[in-house]
Amino acid sequence: MFHYLTKDIKEPFMRPELVNRLTAMLNFNLQQLCGPKCKNLKVKTPENYGWEPRRLLKQLIDIYLHLDCEEFAAAIAADEVIFWSTKHFLFFLSTLLMFLYKNVAII
């Protein structure tokens, strides 16, 4: 639903009282899906639970792209929790670029 909401409307999400929390939530979810502990996200019968991590990752990256603006970029840069190492930041950046150009499959 958030994917749908951000497609055409981004201004409400860029309000000062919301943008940093939103960015932290998105970054946390990205870290869970792509970070060092992503292998722990296993489900025995994923079809029973609608567990589609590739689809979820694509939607998450789409949300980043939908919210593309100065305020959002500043909030991403201000979230130091996810970028605790250069390696993770570079992975995050390359993931965004791959989806932006849509030439490379993520997973």
Side-chain angles (χ1 to χ4, degrees):
M1 179 147 181
F2 195 65
H3 181 263
Y4 172 75
L5 287 173
T6 59
K7 191 177 275 189
D8 296 319
I9 306 168
K10 67 177 152 189
E11 291 79 21
F13 304 109
M14 296 302 109
R15 295 182 56 89
E17 59 271 9
L18 188 59
V19 69
N20 290 327
R21 290 181 181 199
L22 171 64
T23 304
M25 178 201 67
L26 292 171
N27 288 345
F28 175 79
N29 283 295
L30 182 66
Q31 185 179 29
Q32 294 302 307
L33 285 171
C34 303
K37 296 182 181 179
C38 68
K39 300 286 186 201
N40 298 338
L41 298 174
K42 293 182 183 177
V43 178
K44 287 187 181 185
T45 53
E47 60 279 352
N48 291 348
Y49 302 101
W51 176 240
E52 300 176 51
R54 291 179 183 167
R55 186 171 146 258
L56 183 59
L57 181 60
K58 183 190 179 321
Q59 288 180 338
L60 187 61
I61 298 300
D62 283 347
I63 292 168
Y64 278 98
L65 296 175
H66 294 166
L67 297 174
D68 177 32
C69 66
E70 293 288 326
E71 296 92 345
F72 189 61
I76 290 173
D79 184 16
E80 297 174 4
V81 175
I82 191 165
F83 303 126
W84 53 271
S85 76
T86 304
K87 180 176 81 172
H88 289 98
F89 175 74
L90 292 175
F91 179 78
F92 172 78
L93 185 60
S94 63
T95 302
L96 284 176
L97 289 173
M98 285 188 283
F99 265 99
L100 183 62
Y101 293 107
K102 300 188 189 248
N103 292 332
V104 181
I106 282 246
I107 299 177

